[in-house]
Amino acid sequence: MIDWSEQDMRVSRTELKKAHERLQELSIPLASLSKKQLKNLPASDYFMAELMALADISSAN
């Protein structure tokens, strides 16, 4: 059995950057969905609120 207390659980800045880039890539197809389509997604209330806020953005400022 692994003793997790002895493992280094820190995440490198490179891994964090890669994770953020993957999330940005996921947001592109989600941003193109209509609000009706977004409501049909199986997601948490917090995530749905964020998606609805994304849908309200009409252009980059």
Side-chain angles (χ1 to χ4, degrees):
M1 184 169 210
I2 297 174
D3 183 4
W4 292 105
S5 65
E6 295 179 6
Q7 301 297 318
D8 185 5
M9 302 300 285
R10 290 178 290 184
V11 179
S12 70
R13 284 189 279 171
T14 302
E15 285 301 317
L16 286 173
K17 183 177 177 182
K18 287 179 183 178
H20 288 144
E21 288 171 354
R22 288 190 298 269
L23 284 173
Q24 285 179 337
E25 289 175 16
L26 273 173
S27 69
I28 294 169
L30 289 174
S32 64
L33 295 176
S34 70
K35 286 190 178 187
K36 185 176 181 179
Q37 290 172 314
L38 289 174
K39 288 180 183 179
N40 290 329
L41 291 176
S44 70
D45 291 337
Y46 173 79
F47 190 67
M48 289 306 298
E50 294 297 316
L51 284 175
M52 291 299 170
L54 177 65
D56 289 335
I57 298 172
S58 59
S59 65
N61 291 337

